[in-house]
PDB file of all heavy atoms in Angstrom:
ATOM      1  N   ARG A   1      -7.069  -0.851 -20.483  1.00 96.00           N
ATOM      2  CA  ARG A   1      -7.056  -1.541 -21.711  1.00 96.00           C
ATOM      3  C   ARG A   1      -8.273  -0.912 -22.540  1.00 96.00           C
ATOM      4  O   ARG A   1      -9.396  -0.779 -22.103  1.00 96.00           O
ATOM      5  CB  ARG A   1      -7.420  -3.012 -21.555  1.00 96.00           C
ATOM      6  CG  ARG A   1      -7.583  -3.770 -22.854  1.00 96.00           C
ATOM      7  CD  ARG A   1      -7.820  -5.211 -22.642  1.00 96.00           C
ATOM      8  NE  ARG A   1      -9.047  -5.590 -21.950  1.00 96.00           N
ATOM      9  CZ  ARG A   1     -10.210  -5.566 -22.506  1.00 96.00           C
ATOM     10  NH1 ARG A   1     -10.346  -5.219 -23.667  1.00 96.00           N
ATOM     11  NH2 ARG A   1     -11.361  -5.779 -21.767  1.00 96.00           N
ATOM     12  N   LEU A   2      -7.869  -0.474 -23.785  1.00 97.00           N
ATOM     13  CA  LEU A   2      -8.871   0.039 -24.787  1.00 97.00           C
ATOM     14  C   LEU A   2      -9.636  -1.062 -25.432  1.00 97.00           C
ATOM     15  O   LEU A   2      -9.245  -2.110 -25.401  1.00 97.00           O
ATOM     16  CB  LEU A   2      -8.081   1.005 -25.717  1.00 97.00           C
ATOM     17  CG  LEU A   2      -7.730   2.346 -25.071  1.00 97.00           C
ATOM     18  CD1 LEU A   2      -6.552   2.309 -24.162  1.00 97.00           C
ATOM     19  CD2 LEU A   2      -7.364   3.271 -26.287  1.00 97.00           C
ATOM     20  N   PRO A   3     -10.739  -0.786 -26.123  1.00 97.00           N
ATOM     21  CA  PRO A   3     -11.380  -1.714 -26.819  1.00 97.00           C
ATOM     22  C   PRO A   3     -10.531  -2.497 -27.823  1.00 97.00           C
ATOM     23  O   PRO A   3      -9.688  -1.858 -28.384  1.00 97.00           O
ATOM     24  CB  PRO A   3     -12.564  -0.895 -27.513  1.00 97.00           C
ATOM     25  CG  PRO A   3     -12.711   0.273 -26.788  1.00 97.00           C
ATOM     26  CD  PRO A   3     -11.274   0.597 -26.231  1.00 97.00           C
ATOM     27  N   PHE A   4     -10.822  -3.711 -28.005  1.00 96.00           N
ATOM     28  CA  PHE A   4     -10.069  -4.606 -28.919  1.00 96.00           C
ATOM     29  C   PHE A   4     -10.456  -4.002 -30.435  1.00 96.00           C
ATOM     30  O   PHE A   4     -11.511  -3.610 -30.729  1.00 96.00           O
ATOM     31  CB  PHE A   4     -10.466  -6.089 -28.941  1.00 96.00           C
ATOM     32  CG  PHE A   4     -10.102  -6.673 -27.566  1.00 96.00           C
ATOM     33  CD1 PHE A   4     -11.129  -7.039 -26.710  1.00 96.00           C
ATOM     34  CD2 PHE A   4      -8.732  -6.895 -27.294  1.00 96.00           C
ATOM     35  CE1 PHE A   4     -10.639  -7.594 -25.529  1.00 96.00           C
ATOM     36  CE2 PHE A   4      -8.371  -7.438 -26.133  1.00 96.00           C
ATOM     37  CZ  PHE A   4      -9.323  -7.823 -25.276  1.00 96.00           C
ATOM     38  N   ARG A   5      -9.508  -4.222 -31.270  1.00 96.00           N
ATOM     39  CA  ARG A   5      -9.709  -3.834 -32.589  1.00 96.00           C
ATOM     40  C   ARG A   5      -8.914  -4.620 -33.641  1.00 96.00           C
ATOM     41  O   ARG A   5      -7.703  -4.858 -33.572  1.00 96.00           O
ATOM     42  CB  ARG A   5      -9.147  -2.326 -32.851  1.00 96.00           C
ATOM     43  CG  ARG A   5      -9.637  -1.757 -34.266  1.00 96.00           C
ATOM     44  CD  ARG A   5      -9.306  -0.290 -34.365  1.00 96.00           C
ATOM     45  NE  ARG A   5      -8.101  -0.195 -35.129  1.00 96.00           N
ATOM     46  CZ  ARG A   5      -7.495   1.076 -35.464  1.00 96.00           C
ATOM     47  NH1 ARG A   5      -8.132   2.167 -35.067  1.00 96.00           N
ATOM     48  NH2 ARG A   5      -6.379   1.004 -36.143  1.00 96.00           N
ATOM     49  N   LYS A   6      -9.660  -5.324 -34.519  1.00 96.00           N
ATOM     50  CA  LYS A   6      -9.113  -6.388 -35.486  1.00 96.00           C
ATOM     51  C   LYS A   6      -8.145  -7.353 -34.668  1.00 96.00           C
ATOM     52  O   LYS A   6      -6.955  -7.616 -35.125  1.00 96.00           O
ATOM     53  CB  LYS A   6      -8.191  -5.673 -36.544  1.00 96.00           C
ATOM     54  CG  LYS A   6      -9.167  -4.716 -37.414  1.00 96.00           C
ATOM     55  CD  LYS A   6      -8.202  -4.116 -38.422  1.00 96.00           C
ATOM     56  CE  LYS A   6      -8.890  -3.240 -39.395  1.00 96.00           C
ATOM     57  NZ  LYS A   6      -8.111  -2.610 -40.528  1.00 96.00           N
ATOM     58  N   LYS A   7      -8.631  -7.872 -33.460  1.00 96.00           N
ATOM     59  CA  LYS A   7      -7.892  -8.864 -32.811  1.00 96.00           C
ATOM     60  C   LYS A   7      -6.515  -8.350 -32.202  1.00 96.00           C
ATOM     61  O   LYS A   7      -5.649  -9.020 -31.831  1.00 96.00           O
ATOM     62  CB  LYS A   7      -7.623 -10.020 -33.600  1.00 96.00           C
ATOM     63  CG  LYS A   7      -8.898 -10.874 -34.061  1.00 96.00           C
ATOM     64  CD  LYS A   7      -8.581 -12.051 -34.827  1.00 96.00           C
ATOM     65  CE  LYS A   7      -9.852 -12.733 -35.241  1.00 96.00           C
ATOM     66  NZ  LYS A   7      -9.540 -14.034 -36.086  1.00 96.00           N
ATOM     67  N   ALA A   8      -6.523  -6.906 -32.138  1.00 97.00           N
ATOM     68  CA  ALA A   8      -5.286  -6.270 -31.588  1.00 97.00           C
ATOM     69  C   ALA A   8      -5.720  -5.599 -30.213  1.00 97.00           C
ATOM     70  O   ALA A   8      -6.906  -5.248 -29.877  1.00 97.00           O
ATOM     71  CB  ALA A   8      -4.831  -5.164 -32.510  1.00 97.00           C
ATOM     72  N   MET A   9      -4.707  -5.481 -29.334  1.00 97.00           N
ATOM     73  CA  MET A   9      -4.953  -5.033 -28.048  1.00 97.00           C
ATOM     74  C   MET A   9      -4.166  -3.861 -27.886  1.00 97.00           C
ATOM     75  O   MET A   9      -2.867  -3.635 -28.251  1.00 97.00           O
ATOM     76  CB  MET A   9      -4.565  -5.935 -26.928  1.00 97.00           C
ATOM     77  CG  MET A   9      -4.623  -5.479 -25.486  1.00 97.00           C
ATOM     78  SD  MET A   9      -4.135  -6.732 -24.254  1.00 97.00           S
ATOM     79  CE  MET A   9      -5.314  -7.945 -24.332  1.00 97.00           C
ATOM     80  N   LEU A  10      -4.630  -2.736 -27.222  1.00 98.00           N
ATOM     81  CA  LEU A  10      -3.910  -1.398 -26.797  1.00 98.00           C
ATOM     82  C   LEU A  10      -4.035  -1.085 -25.389  1.00 98.00           C
ATOM     83  O   LEU A  10      -5.295  -1.129 -24.984  1.00 98.00           O
ATOM     84  CB  LEU A  10      -4.398  -0.394 -27.787  1.00 98.00           C
ATOM     85  CG  LEU A  10      -3.664   0.953 -27.601  1.00 98.00           C
ATOM     86  CD1 LEU A  10      -2.111   0.791 -27.879  1.00 98.00           C
ATOM     87  CD2 LEU A  10      -4.140   1.988 -28.570  1.00 98.00           C
ATOM     88  N   ILE A  11      -3.082  -0.874 -24.602  1.00 98.00           N
ATOM     89  CA  ILE A  11      -3.173  -0.565 -23.275  1.00 98.00           C
ATOM     90  C   ILE A  11      -2.500   0.810 -23.061  1.00 98.00           C
ATOM     91  O   ILE A  11      -1.432   0.998 -23.625  1.00 98.00           O
ATOM     92  CB  ILE A  11      -2.499  -1.606 -22.343  1.00 98.00           C
ATOM     93  CG1 ILE A  11      -3.181  -2.994 -22.619  1.00 98.00           C
ATOM     94  CG2 ILE A  11      -2.404  -1.178 -20.922  1.00 98.00           C
ATOM     95  CD1 ILE A  11      -2.486  -4.117 -21.858  1.00 98.00           C
ATOM     96  N   GLU A  12      -3.124   1.683 -22.279  1.00 98.00           N
ATOM     97  CA  GLU A  12      -2.469   2.922 -21.861  1.00 98.00           C
ATOM     98  C   GLU A  12      -2.106   2.825 -20.427  1.00 98.00           C
ATOM     99  O   GLU A  12      -2.929   2.753 -19.557  1.00 98.00           O
ATOM    100  CB  GLU A  12      -3.439   4.117 -22.254  1.00 98.00           C
ATOM    101  CG  GLU A  12      -2.796   5.393 -21.811  1.00 98.00           C
ATOM    102  CD  GLU A  12      -3.770   6.586 -22.213  1.00 98.00           C
ATOM    103  OE1 GLU A  12      -4.571   6.471 -23.176  1.00 98.00           O
ATOM    104  OE2 GLU A  12      -3.484   7.783 -21.643  1.00 98.00           O
ATOM    105  N   LEU A  13      -0.871   2.926 -20.153  1.00 98.00           N
ATOM    106  CA  LEU A  13      -0.254   2.944 -18.886  1.00 98.00           C
ATOM    107  C   LEU A  13       0.233   4.281 -18.480  1.00 98.00           C
ATOM    108  O   LEU A  13       1.125   4.884 -19.076  1.00 98.00           O
ATOM    109  CB  LEU A  13       0.940   1.896 -18.825  1.00 98.00           C
ATOM    110  CG  LEU A  13       1.680   1.772 -17.556  1.00 98.00           C
ATOM    111  CD1 LEU A  13       0.961   1.244 -16.391  1.00 98.00           C
ATOM    112  CD2 LEU A  13       2.951   0.938 -17.800  1.00 98.00           C
ATOM    113  N   GLN A  14      -0.318   4.803 -17.252  1.00 97.00           N
ATOM    114  CA  GLN A  14       0.219   5.925 -16.571  1.00 97.00           C
ATOM    115  C   GLN A  14       1.124   5.555 -15.502  1.00 97.00           C
ATOM    116  O   GLN A  14       0.618   4.992 -14.441  1.00 97.00           O
ATOM    117  CB  GLN A  14      -1.012   6.712 -16.074  1.00 97.00           C
ATOM    118  CG  GLN A  14      -2.034   7.251 -17.205  1.00 97.00           C
ATOM    119  CD  GLN A  14      -1.307   8.128 -18.164  1.00 97.00           C
ATOM    120  OE1 GLN A  14      -0.448   9.000 -17.791  1.00 97.00           O
ATOM    121  NE2 GLN A  14      -1.725   8.169 -19.383  1.00 97.00           N
ATOM    122  N   LEU A  15       2.341   5.798 -15.520  1.00 96.00           N
ATOM    123  CA  LEU A  15       3.231   5.498 -14.670  1.00 96.00           C
ATOM    124  C   LEU A  15       3.134   6.362 -13.316  1.00 96.00           C
ATOM    125  O   LEU A  15       3.009   7.551 -13.394  1.00 96.00           O
ATOM    126  CB  LEU A  15       4.762   5.584 -15.232  1.00 96.00           C
ATOM    127  CG  LEU A  15       5.078   4.632 -16.363  1.00 96.00           C
ATOM    128  CD1 LEU A  15       6.415   4.955 -16.964  1.00 96.00           C
ATOM    129  CD2 LEU A  15       5.021   3.236 -15.843  1.00 96.00           C
ATOM    130  N   ASN A  16       3.381   5.563 -12.205  1.00 93.00           N
ATOM    131  CA  ASN A  16       3.221   6.246 -10.885  1.00 93.00           C
ATOM    132  C   ASN A  16       4.742   6.464 -10.387  1.00 93.00           C
ATOM    133  O   ASN A  16       5.291   5.435 -10.094  1.00 93.00           O
ATOM    134  CB  ASN A  16       2.489   5.465  -9.988  1.00 93.00           C
ATOM    135  CG  ASN A  16       2.344   6.046  -8.479  1.00 93.00           C
ATOM    136  OD1 ASN A  16       2.995   6.924  -8.250  1.00 93.00           O
ATOM    137  ND2 ASN A  16       1.382   5.391  -7.845  1.00 93.00           N
ATOM    138  N   HIS A  17       5.094   7.617 -10.460  1.00 89.00           N
ATOM    139  CA  HIS A  17       6.494   7.925 -10.038  1.00 89.00           C
ATOM    140  C   HIS A  17       6.757   8.026  -8.538  1.00 89.00           C
ATOM    141  O   HIS A  17       7.950   8.126  -8.130  1.00 89.00           O
ATOM    142  CB  HIS A  17       7.059   9.173 -10.779  1.00 89.00           C
ATOM    143  CG  HIS A  17       7.134   9.104 -12.218  1.00 89.00           C
ATOM    144  ND1 HIS A  17       8.351   8.485 -12.844  1.00 89.00           N
ATOM    145  CD2 HIS A  17       6.315   9.250 -13.377  1.00 89.00           C
ATOM    146  CE1 HIS A  17       8.131   8.435 -14.237  1.00 89.00           C
ATOM    147  NE2 HIS A  17       6.933   8.838 -14.447  1.00 89.00           N
ATOM    148  N   THR A  18       5.768   8.026  -7.864  1.00 86.00           N
ATOM    149  CA  THR A  18       5.898   8.138  -6.405  1.00 86.00           C
ATOM    150  C   THR A  18       5.938   6.710  -5.762  1.00 86.00           C
ATOM    151  O   THR A  18       6.488   6.423  -4.650  1.00 86.00           O
ATOM    152  CB  THR A  18       4.782   8.879  -5.810  1.00 86.00           C
ATOM    153  OG1 THR A  18       3.550   8.226  -6.010  1.00 86.00           O
ATOM    154  CG2 THR A  18       4.805  10.310  -6.305  1.00 86.00           C
ATOM    155  N   GLN A  19       5.440   5.735  -6.462  1.00 80.00           N
ATOM    156  CA  GLN A  19       5.420   4.379  -6.028  1.00 80.00           C
ATOM    157  C   GLN A  19       6.760   3.745  -5.993  1.00 80.00           C
ATOM    158  O   GLN A  19       7.492   3.842  -6.920  1.00 80.00           O
ATOM    159  CB  GLN A  19       4.384   3.604  -6.808  1.00 80.00           C
ATOM    160  CG  GLN A  19       4.234   2.043  -6.518  1.00 80.00           C
ATOM    161  CD  GLN A  19       3.197   1.419  -7.479  1.00 80.00           C
ATOM    162  OE1 GLN A  19       2.455   2.048  -8.149  1.00 80.00           O
ATOM    163  NE2 GLN A  19       3.225   0.150  -7.474  1.00 80.00           N
ATOM    164  N   GLU A  20       7.153   3.073  -4.824  1.00 80.00           N
ATOM    165  CA  GLU A  20       8.414   2.415  -4.765  1.00 80.00           C
ATOM    166  C   GLU A  20       8.253   1.069  -5.520  1.00 80.00           C
ATOM    167  O   GLU A  20       7.482   0.239  -5.432  1.00 80.00           O
ATOM    168  CB  GLU A  20       8.757   2.193  -3.259  1.00 80.00           C
ATOM    169  CG  GLU A  20      10.121   1.535  -3.121  1.00 80.00           C
ATOM    170  CD  GLU A  20      10.571   1.373  -1.671  1.00 80.00           C
ATOM    171  OE1 GLU A  20       9.791   1.927  -0.805  1.00 80.00           O
ATOM    172  OE2 GLU A  20      11.560   0.697  -1.324  1.00 80.00           O
ATOM    173  N   ILE A  21       9.337   0.945  -6.516  1.00 77.00           N
ATOM    174  CA  ILE A  21       9.375  -0.295  -7.271  1.00 77.00           C
ATOM    175  C   ILE A  21      10.631  -1.203  -6.877  1.00 77.00           C
ATOM    176  O   ILE A  21      11.709  -0.655  -6.697  1.00 77.00           O
ATOM    177  CB  ILE A  21       9.502   0.173  -8.841  1.00 77.00           C
ATOM    178  CG1 ILE A  21       8.404   1.082  -9.134  1.00 77.00           C
ATOM    179  CG2 ILE A  21       9.614  -1.117  -9.649  1.00 77.00           C
ATOM    180  CD1 ILE A  21       7.027   0.439  -9.152  1.00 77.00           C
ATOM    181  N   ARG A  22      10.249  -2.501  -6.789  1.00 76.00           N
ATOM    182  CA  ARG A  22      11.307  -3.408  -6.387  1.00 76.00           C
ATOM    183  C   ARG A  22      12.301  -3.447  -7.653  1.00 76.00           C
ATOM    184  O   ARG A  22      11.883  -3.552  -8.791  1.00 76.00           O
ATOM    185  CB  ARG A  22      10.677  -4.841  -6.207  1.00 76.00           C
ATOM    186  CG  ARG A  22      11.861  -5.879  -5.778  1.00 76.00           C
ATOM    187  CD  ARG A  22      11.048  -7.087  -5.425  1.00 76.00           C
ATOM    188  NE  ARG A  22      10.231  -7.753  -6.556  1.00 76.00           N
ATOM    189  CZ  ARG A  22       9.369  -8.701  -6.436  1.00 76.00           C
ATOM    190  NH1 ARG A  22       9.331  -9.331  -5.338  1.00 76.00           N
ATOM    191  NH2 ARG A  22       8.763  -9.091  -7.492  1.00 76.00           N
ATOM    192  N   PRO A  23      13.604  -3.359  -7.379  1.00 73.00           N
ATOM    193  CA  PRO A  23      14.604  -3.208  -8.490  1.00 73.00           C
ATOM    194  C   PRO A  23      14.635  -4.652  -9.176  1.00 73.00           C
ATOM    195  O   PRO A  23      14.198  -5.603  -8.819  1.00 73.00           O
ATOM    196  CB  PRO A  23      15.944  -3.091  -7.642  1.00 73.00           C
ATOM    197  CG  PRO A  23      15.606  -3.575  -6.302  1.00 73.00           C
ATOM    198  CD  PRO A  23      14.181  -3.288  -6.068  1.00 73.00           C
ATOM    199  N   SER A  24      15.186  -4.543 -10.479  1.00 78.00           N
ATOM    200  CA  SER A  24      15.147  -5.685 -11.323  1.00 78.00           C
ATOM    201  C   SER A  24      16.007  -6.718 -10.880  1.00 78.00           C
ATOM    202  O   SER A  24      17.158  -6.468 -10.186  1.00 78.00           O
ATOM    203  CB  SER A  24      15.602  -5.320 -12.769  1.00 78.00           C
ATOM    204  OG  SER A  24      15.880  -6.384 -13.637  1.00 78.00           O
ATOM    205  N   THR A  25      15.713  -8.013 -10.948  1.00 85.00           N
ATOM    206  CA  THR A  25      16.546  -8.995 -10.538  1.00 85.00           C
ATOM    207  C   THR A  25      17.628  -9.512 -11.605  1.00 85.00           C
ATOM    208  O   THR A  25      18.496 -10.411 -11.437  1.00 85.00           O
ATOM    209  CB  THR A  25      15.688 -10.311 -10.251  1.00 85.00           C
ATOM    210  OG1 THR A  25      14.900 -10.712 -11.377  1.00 85.00           O
ATOM    211  CG2 THR A  25      14.869 -10.034  -9.082  1.00 85.00           C
TER     212      THR A  25
END
């Protein structure tokens, strides 16, 4: 999570492509 700005939030997500993900329900 980056610093808040004008009551707005920004998140940088680095996806892990080796991690096993449970399929969507």
